[in-house]
Amino acid sequence: MTLFEQHQLPCILESRLSKRYQTLIMEHMTVNSSNAPGVKSLRHHTQSWASTQATWRFYHNEDVTFPMLSGPMLGLARSGVKESQSRYVLMAYDWCHINFAKHHSKLDKTKMSHALDVGYELQASLLVDANTGAPIAPAGLNLLTSNGIYQCRSQELQPKQSHLDSLFDSIHWQEQLHLDKPLVHVVDREADSAKDLRRLGSVHWLTRTKKGSTFRHEGQFKTAEIISRTISPDLKGVISLRGKEGYLFVGETTVELHRKSEKLASAAPTCRFVMSLVTDDEGKELARWYLLSNVLDVDATEIATWYCHRWNIESWFKLLKSDGHQLEKWQQTTAESILKRLITASVATTLIFKLYSDSLDEANEFKGFLVKLSGRLTKRTKPVTQPSLLAGLWVFLQMCEVLDTYTMDEINAMRQIASSFFAQSV
């Protein structure tokens, strides 16, 4: 049974394209070095140049569209949500700059924060298990260019939008996916707008607000920082935050989504205001969050824990960039090709996260085997990491390809050649 059959990876491409796409996904199950940004060849040990040409033809095929490439990714999202034991599923959002300042062949780059920060801006939506915090699969990828926005759900280039307008479009589209469980859309301070939060209506959301943002509390307009002083947070237990453990304190109250500068014709809706504090063993503050949410049927501690889980989208970005696929070194010359390859890499990373979260004995044994193959040094406290699984899986796939391509007699003959070569050099 192949990796695709094992995870019931759906393929909606034409039959003449599906095998190439499956090969491309497997070729992205590897950790690239910064000086090897191209696609590594796997199938039948073809030369890297031939594999690169085949990849170029695939991405420039007019039948290969964003929605078609996204089919397996959304299929993994649906199956992952169905397998989740949590009542809700989190949809975490974040933006990531992809710097291509030194890539002069890319003519559709856009200026992001400053003159040297030039490239594309990626807005990603990642499904996260509400109980464990484990990433399930991406459910949306948008790429901002100088010409407009490319979206994984549409082949047409979309006009530029503000972050919030793009975010709300993504939320409304993902609500119509009709996944097996209700979504809670988790956003950082980007969504700190009372007016825009009211636009979401009955959609479940969770966001962090700035300490200086004002809300109506107990009949008066107060800042989030002042509101938090009226709350006495209780110790709820130990929580993992960015790889470190800390003590979680949580308290809550109710506020109205009404800013002091606004004049409303009717009463503003209310929402929960959750103050979350994380400290170390010595009482030093590690994090303090002022959270807003309209999810009413869970404990405030769960709300705080959900926001901690949002940070796992950073691990996904890291696997795409510095610790995995070296995204900022890719040589494709257009944002359209970059997004197509990004969708392909996202399917590969989704399968890696799925394997990483699998706690069955057989999976644990396989993960230990892959870490050995990877040659990576890992901490005793964390013997398995996603980059080590990526690196080890690539070696294993190459081993399988060798066994499928060569007979044992041919392998033993080459082994004799290698042995004689090393014997001469000693």
Side-chain angles (χ1 to χ4, degrees):
M1 180 179 291
T2 67
L3 189 68
F4 298 95
E5 292 168 339
Q6 178 184 352
H7 293 291
Q8 298 179 339
L9 182 68
C11 188
I12 61 171
L13 300 179
E14 298 176 23
S15 58
R16 64 188 175 90
L17 298 178
S18 61
K19 290 185 178 179
R20 181 58 196 158
Y21 189 35
Q22 290 188 9
T23 300
L24 269 175
I25 292 171
M26 288 192 288
E27 288 176 344
H28 279 84
M29 289 178 180
T30 179
V31 173
N32 270 332
S33 60
S34 59
N35 62 349
V39 177
K40 293 184 179 180
S41 60
L42 179 67
R43 188 61 115 189
H44 300 310
H45 289 272
T46 56
Q47 296 295 320
S48 294
W49 180 248
S51 179
T52 301
Q53 285 184 312
T55 301
W56 186 93
R57 287 194 296 269
F58 180 83
Y59 287 144
H60 285 78
N61 189 318
E62 61 181 14
D63 294 329
V64 178
T65 63
F66 297 136
M68 293 171 70
L69 290 172
S70 300
M73 184 176 73
L74 294 177
L76 287 169
R78 289 186 183 280
S79 62
V81 169
K82 190 171 292 186
E83 293 168 5
S84 172
Q85 300 300 311
S86 59
R87 189 169 49 147
Y88 289 101
V89 175
L90 311 181
M91 186 74 81
Y93 298 86
D94 207 353
W95 288 261
C96 172
H97 288 183
I98 308 172
N99 191 298
F100 284 122
K102 296 182 179 180
H103 291 232
H104 303 297
S105 60
K106 295 179 174 65
L107 303 180
D108 54 356
K109 296 179 293 185
T110 186
K111 178 180 175 183
M112 291 173 284
S113 58
H114 53 80
L116 298 179
D117 190 14
V118 181
Y120 309 121
E121 186 179 66
L122 172 65
Q123 186 254 310
S125 314
L126 182 68
L127 282 164
V128 176
D129 189 286
N131 286 350
T132 66
I136 296 174
L141 297 171
N142 296 342
L143 203 61
L144 173 66
T145 74
S146 61
N147 300 325
I149 300 175
Y150 286 107
Q151 300 173 333
C152 71
R153 64 182 185 266
S154 172
Q155 187 59 23
E156 302 300 323
L157 182 66
Q158 305 298 317
K160 290 184 178 180
Q161 291 180 300
S162 67
H163 273 191
L164 279 179
D165 287 337
S166 180
L167 169 69
F168 290 133
D169 279 353
S170 295
I171 289 175
H172 291 307
W173 175 73
Q174 284 150 4
E175 282 290 325
Q176 295 179 34
L177 290 176
H178 300 298
L179 299 176
D180 197 55
K181 295 178 175 63
L183 297 174
V184 178
H185 303 274
V186 187
V187 195
D188 202 8
R189 292 184 300 182
E190 194 80 28
D192 179 28
S193 166
K195 177 182 177 181
D196 288 305
L197 288 174
R198 293 197 299 268
R199 282 170 52 190
L200 290 175
S202 60
V203 172
H204 294 115
W205 50 264
L206 165 62
T207 187
R208 179 162 67 111
T209 187
K210 305 178 186 71
K211 65 179 182 180
S213 297
T214 58
F215 302 94
R216 191 173 180 86
H217 177 248
E218 296 178 343
Q220 297 181 342
F221 289 102
K222 305 175 186 176
T223 64
E225 186 176 25
I226 292 176
I227 294 172
S228 70
R229 295 173 187 169
T230 67
I231 301 171
S232 299
D234 299 321
L235 176 62
K236 298 298 183 179
V238 177
I239 195 169
S240 178
L241 176 65
R242 302 176 198 169
K244 297 181 180 180
E245 287 193 342
Y247 294 99
L248 176 66
F249 295 82
V250 177
E252 73 167 315
T253 186
T254 301
V255 298
E256 294 179 38
L257 286 176
H258 185 188
R259 293 288 168 84
K260 190 174 183 179
S261 58
E262 293 180 311
K263 292 183 179 180
L264 300 181
S266 58
T270 60
C271 72
R272 301 171 75 176
F273 180 98
V274 177
M275 201 274 277
S276 174
L277 175 66
V278 182
T279 67
D280 61 13
D281 292 337
E282 299 176 354
K284 180 181 177 182
E285 184 176 311
L286 300 177
R288 180 188 291 267
W289 299 316
Y290 308 120
L291 306 176
L292 302 173
S293 181
N294 65 345
V295 181
L296 304 177
D297 57 350
V298 299
D299 188 81
T301 305
E302 196 164 357
I303 295 289
T305 305
W306 285 352
Y307 188 77
C308 288
H309 292 338
R310 194 202 73 85
W311 289 99
N312 285 323
I313 195 172
E314 301 294 342
S315 299
W316 185 72
F317 280 140
K318 193 174 182 181
L319 202 59
L320 286 175
K321 295 178 73 175
S322 59
D323 277 8
H325 295 291
Q326 302 294 337
L327 170 57
E328 292 182 330
K329 302 294 182 179
W330 288 1
Q331 298 297 312
Q332 282 73 28
T333 57
T334 64
E336 184 177 5
S337 295
I338 289 287
L339 183 55
K340 286 181 178 180
R341 186 177 174 186
L342 188 57
I343 295 170
T344 304
S346 297
V347 177
T349 54
T350 298
L351 292 172
I352 290 298
F353 275 112
K354 188 176 180 68
L355 175 61
Y356 180 81
S357 302
D358 196 332
S359 58
L360 295 177
D361 291 341
E362 298 87 354
N364 289 332
E365 184 177 357
F366 183 51
K367 286 186 282 187
F369 171 69
L370 294 183
V371 172
K372 288 181 181 179
L373 289 182
S374 73
R376 294 295 183 98
L377 292 176
T378 56
K379 297 179 181 179
R380 292 181 180 178
T381 56
K382 193 175 183 181
V384 178
T385 62
Q386 290 98 344
S388 66
L389 291 181
L390 257 182
L393 188 56
W394 174 253
V395 177
F396 180 64
L397 290 174
Q398 286 186 311
M399 290 169 54
C400 295
E401 186 66 22
V402 167
L403 294 174
D404 288 340
T405 307
Y406 301 96
T407 66
M408 287 306 300
D409 289 339
E410 290 173 322
I411 292 174
N412 286 327
M414 287 185 279
R415 181 180 178 184
Q416 291 297 325
I417 295 172
S419 298
S420 62
F421 172 78
F422 286 115
Q424 293 173 8
S425 63
V426 175

